[in-house]
Amino acid sequence: MKKRDRTPKTYARLTHPLVRDEKGGPLRQATWDEALERAASGFRETRETHGPDAFAMLSCARATNEMNYVAQKFTRVVMGTNNVDSCNRTCHAPSVAGLSAVFGSGGGTSSYAEVEHTDLIVMWGSNARFAHPIFFHHVLKGIRNGARMYAVDPRRTSTAEWAESWLGLNVGTDIPLAHAIGREIIHAGLHNRAFVERATTGFEEYKELVEPWTLGLAEKVTGVPAAAIRELAHAYARAERAQMCWTLGITEHHNGTDNVRALINLSLLTGHVGRFGSGVQPLRGQNNVQGGGDMGAIPNKLPGFQDILDDADRQKFEVAWDTVIQPRYGMTLTEMFEAMEHGGLRAVYCIGENPAQSEADSEQAARRLAALDHFVVQDIFLTKTAEMADVVLPATAAWAETDGTSTNSERRVQRVRAALTPPGEAREDIDIICEMARRLGHDWKYADSETVWNELRALSPDHFGMTYDRLEEHQGLQWPCPDLEELPTSYLHGRLWETELADRGRLAPFGLVQHDPPVDLTDEEFPIRLTTGRRLDSYNTGVQTGSFASPLRRGEYVELCPEDAEHYGVAVGQEVRVVSRRGAVTAPVWVDPALRPGLAFMTMHFPDEVDTNQLTIEANCPIAGTAEFKASAIRIERAERS
């Protein structure tokens, strides 16, 4: 067997601007003036020739709130379009959509500290011990304080090892399982009748919807024993306080928003929301993916989660920015790539994202990017995406070389301070964007990040009470924080418990969602279900984590259960071909007893060695636009010996 070097590719830090003199030619070093003029002229030509909607901005979930605010402002004011999005679309857009539909805002309802003081924790589709280790420390504190934890996941993950019970469901059967839990709670008379009657709508329709999902039927569809489903239903409903937590195992499906609604239904049914210790928690994977959306770097919302279609909200921003904002939603990241295919999108400004390797069906994504007329990438590394650009602009690392703020999964805004001097000619993201805007006719003057933040505060009621001084004094504040004196509560939607109907605001609707199996069906030709996820030692496409060593890192493998490894006659370390309906990769085998027969697991951490996204399917959630990374059909072939 040929031995393969498993050392991840190391990416060079960008220190000078780069330009390409012709399509297909090499990138060469350039001055800042040449690079900025080249970038700006391409955007100008696109806007004048094809209109503003031929441009799109990909903003950065790892950069500061201030950068994301300026990036979306550039898109709407300078370029005149709402085509701005980020990798939020790739992961938790269904969480934002589902939470917004029910509660009117797209943030998790509880704080991390509440997990330490709850009675029951449900980790659904979340290997938080690997993917969200900081949050999992809070979970462990909760367990030490007496909380019971249940894990719902196709794999018996490291997180599941801490659980009182593991419900190993079949991939893509989250809605049947949630409906069966809801039905059991109702039939046992354990639903919170008072809360349901005064704080929700659509209960009778929901009750009718879940009625067919008996414990027996759910066991047949999900693979989870009926007794385990019943146990979780009773434990969740009887708990005084309970937290429902989920990650990409819920959202990265073609019906991700429906999955989210199914889980929120259970919180409404039991009254586990709007109280200290009870809530719903989507765990966000990147340091500022929550903040990017809060700052308006999404196609349907202005900063502060204010809807573009709301005339009063839109006019407020038009007055402040001296512009006219299109009264329609822009393209999502998913729609942007579709528009590249047919020529509707001609120019892209990509800041700190690596879509050439992070998008589902990565070969198709790279081909679409290559077809753009004008492509500008602003990053700290020469990623595979940057290698495709016409202009590459070297930026600062937001976590160590930039001042500003970021917002985590519990809606906590915290200060970020520059500790290092950026290398070479690298510049601040905001300075680069403002210089680009100046060359396109908009001379913005921001003395520092606080000036940007104060502009945002003046426009977003949820952030108005968060001055830099208060953020420092309290070591961060959670939104909504509309007052300069009072401190915000740690949880959202306490209004639903108010005695007076007028004080409850809009009631929370149950989501009437149906089971819809994965699009990429398994069959005789592709009998194995591939699901994807993260490992503790690596991060996303590995651009950042590949540059340092970890004793935990072993490179990319296709993980199989012992039974499947024996069936295919393969051993640990042996190279195999992993084939889907879209592509094939070669990877060594790893045998994991935490997997069940018919289920395989891979990550996206090492795309330069094993490009897992060549296998995944671009089957997108129609509401949120997130692809079904969690459910591909594959087969395993023994690799040719060489």
Side-chain angles (χ1 to χ4, degrees):
M1 181 175 64
K2 181 180 179 181
K3 184 175 178 62
R4 174 184 288 188
D5 180 11
R6 311 306 305 173
T7 304
K9 178 178 177 179
T10 298
Y11 286 85
R13 180 69 191 267
L14 288 167
T15 57
H16 304 281
L18 304 173
V19 299
R20 196 185 308 275
D21 291 321
E22 59 183 3
K23 286 289 184 181
L27 287 167
R28 64 167 176 82
Q29 186 171 324
T31 64
W32 268 106
D33 185 67
E34 180 186 11
L36 286 166
E37 189 56 38
R38 185 84 64 92
S41 63
F43 294 149
R44 183 185 302 110
E45 182 179 351
T46 298
R47 185 181 59 192
E48 293 175 353
T49 305
H50 302 287
D53 289 332
F55 168 88
M57 167 75 78
L58 299 183
S59 197
C60 182
R62 288 165 302 283
T64 63
N65 285 322
E66 290 78 3
M67 193 293 297
N68 278 277
Y69 175 84
V70 175
Q72 62 82 33
K73 182 180 177 182
F74 177 93
T75 305
R76 293 182 166 114
V77 176
V78 177
M79 298 305 295
T81 180
N82 290 313
N83 293 342
V84 56
D85 211 354
S86 73
C87 66
N88 164 73
R89 195 65 47 191
T90 309
C91 51
H92 267 294
S95 297
V96 175
L99 288 163
S100 300
V102 179
F103 302 115
S105 65
T109 69
S110 301
S111 65
Y112 290 172
E114 292 175 57
V115 178
E116 301 175 19
H117 302 286
T118 193
D119 301 305
L120 186 133
I121 304 165
V122 181
M123 302 298 298
W124 198 311
S126 173
N127 186 14
R129 187 164 183 250
F130 279 12
H132 303 88
I134 303 302
F135 175 79
F136 198 70
H137 281 295
H138 295 278
V139 172
L140 292 177
K141 288 181 181 179
I143 293 172
R144 292 191 195 100
N145 290 336
R148 303 160 67 192
M149 187 179 83
Y150 287 78
V152 182
D153 200 294
R155 301 184 299 137
R156 192 174 186 276
T157 63
S158 180
T159 297
E161 293 174 2
W162 290 87
E164 183 161 316
S165 178
W166 166 58
L167 284 71
L169 79 170
N170 297 325
V171 174
T173 62
D174 303 276
I175 289 175
L177 181 58
H179 283 358
I181 292 171
R183 181 188 185 276
E184 176 62 22
I185 289 171
I186 294 169
H187 274 254
L190 296 175
H191 60 293
N192 191 322
R193 288 182 173 86
F195 182 82
V196 167
E197 289 174 2
R198 73 182 189 180
T200 73
T201 61
F203 170 70
E204 291 301 326
E205 293 84 352
Y206 172 74
K207 181 179 178 182
E208 181 180 352
L209 172 73
V210 302
E211 180 57 31
W213 288 103
T214 63
L215 296 178
L217 177 59
E219 178 174 344
K220 291 179 182 178
V221 174
T222 69
V224 178
I229 302 174
R230 183 183 184 278
E231 179 187 341
L232 175 54
H234 284 246
Y236 184 70
R238 292 180 185 276
E240 175 64 26
R241 299 162 298 182
Q243 291 284 336
M244 178 70 74
C245 307
W246 68 86
T247 319
L248 307 189
I250 280 294
T251 60
E252 286 187 339
H253 290 273
H254 76 284
N255 57 343
T257 304
D258 287 351
N259 286 344
V260 171
R261 295 294 300 273
L263 299 195
I264 296 175
N265 284 342
L266 299 180
S267 74
L268 299 180
L269 188 63
T270 55
H272 283 315
V273 70
R275 297 185 289 122
F276 183 86
S278 281
V280 292
Q281 283 265 34
L283 308 178
R284 313 299 293 266
Q286 306 200 46
N287 62 298
N288 203 34
V289 67
Q290 178 70 51
D294 297 343
M295 294 301 105
I298 47 178
N300 62 329
K301 300 290 182 181
L302 292 160
F305 223 69
Q306 298 171 85
D307 200 291
I308 286 172
L309 301 185
D310 186 292
D311 291 342
D313 286 342
R314 193 177 62 255
Q315 289 166 10
K316 175 176 65 173
F317 284 88
E318 289 178 336
V319 170
W321 293 344
D322 190 22
T323 193
V324 175
I325 299 172
Q326 291 185 1
R328 60 179 183 271
Y329 294 157
M331 286 188 277
T332 65
L333 177 65
T334 306
E335 292 166 335
M336 291 175 190
F337 273 85
E338 292 170 352
M340 293 177 201
E341 185 78 37
H342 57 69
L345 189 64
R346 301 299 189 100
V348 168
Y349 189 176
C350 177
I351 302 177
E353 299 292 341
N354 189 23
Q357 294 184 315
S358 63
E359 288 297 293
D361 195 349
S362 56
E363 280 196 358
Q364 175 180 259
R367 174 174 53 80
R368 289 171 169 176
L369 288 169
L372 289 168
D373 293 343
H374 189 56
F375 188 27
V376 177
V377 171
Q378 185 169 309
D379 211 316
I380 63 174
F381 293 112
L382 188 64
T383 64
K384 185 173 181 179
T385 301
E387 290 174 354
M388 302 178 68
D390 300 299
V391 180
V392 180
L393 304 173
T396 51
W399 63 275
E401 299 167 356
T402 303
D403 283 330
T405 61
S406 63
T407 309
N408 69 4
S409 295
E410 62 170 352
R411 299 168 284 104
R412 186 176 302 280
V413 179
Q414 302 173 90
R415 286 280 281 116
V416 179
R417 296 169 182 82
L420 299 174
T421 301
E425 296 182 82
R427 291 187 183 180
E428 287 263 7
D429 285 293
I430 292 174
D431 292 343
I432 299 172
I433 299 169
C434 287
E435 178 58 23
M436 193 87 69
R438 188 188 67 79
R439 291 168 185 261
L440 292 168
H442 296 264
D443 194 9
W444 297 336
K445 300 294 185 183
Y446 293 113
D448 51 27
S449 62
E450 187 173 12
T451 308
V452 178
W453 183 251
N454 286 337
E455 180 176 309
L456 171 278
R457 288 178 48 243
L459 293 166
S460 171
D462 282 350
H463 296 87
F464 176 74
M466 299 182 180
T467 64
Y468 268 26
D469 286 343
R470 292 191 81 206
L471 290 174
E472 183 168 354
E473 177 186 357
H474 298 288
Q475 297 185 358
L477 293 168
Q478 291 172 280
W479 64 255
C481 182
D483 192 273
L484 287 168
E485 300 297 331
E486 294 185 9
L487 293 176
T489 60
S490 65
Y491 57 88
L492 294 180
H493 315 308
R495 59 180 174 79
L496 294 172
W497 292 91
E498 293 291 340
T499 303
E500 297 297 326
L501 177 62
D503 295 331
R504 291 177 215 149
R506 194 192 73 165
L507 302 184
F510 280 90
L512 305 181
V513 296
Q514 300 282 357
H515 173 45
D516 191 9
V519 172
D520 202 14
L521 297 176
T522 56
D523 56 20
E524 290 186 3
E525 186 178 4
F526 299 97
I528 301 289
R529 172 64 69 205
L530 172 67
T531 195
T532 61
R534 295 172 178 167
R535 296 198 184 100
L536 181 60
D537 57 82
S538 298
Y539 178 71
N540 288 3
T541 57
V543 174
Q544 296 179 73
T545 51
S547 297
F548 63 84
S550 168
L552 301 176
R553 187 176 298 132
R554 62 173 187 258
E556 190 54 68
Y557 286 74
V558 56
E559 299 184 10
L560 303 173
C561 70
E563 296 88 343
D564 285 339
E566 182 179 0
H567 172 75
Y568 287 104
V570 295
V572 171
Q574 184 173 340
E575 298 274 349
V576 296
R577 289 187 79 236
V578 187
V579 186
S580 78
R581 294 182 174 95
R582 288 150 300 281
V585 299
T586 300
V589 169
W590 187 267
V591 177
D592 185 358
L595 293 169
R596 295 172 295 146
L599 181 65
F601 177 78
M602 298 179 73
T603 79
M604 287 82 167
H605 297 324
F606 308 93
D608 297 298
E609 290 76 39
V610 180
D611 190 0
T612 301
N613 271 336
Q614 289 191 29
L615 307 172
T616 54
I617 183 172
E618 193 192 25
N620 300 312
C621 172
I623 299 171
T626 301
E628 195 156 52
F629 290 94
K630 297 301 183 190
S632 301
I634 62 167
R635 67 172 179 265
I636 303 295
E637 299 177 352
R638 297 184 66 149
E640 294 290 332
R641 292 182 180 273
S642 59

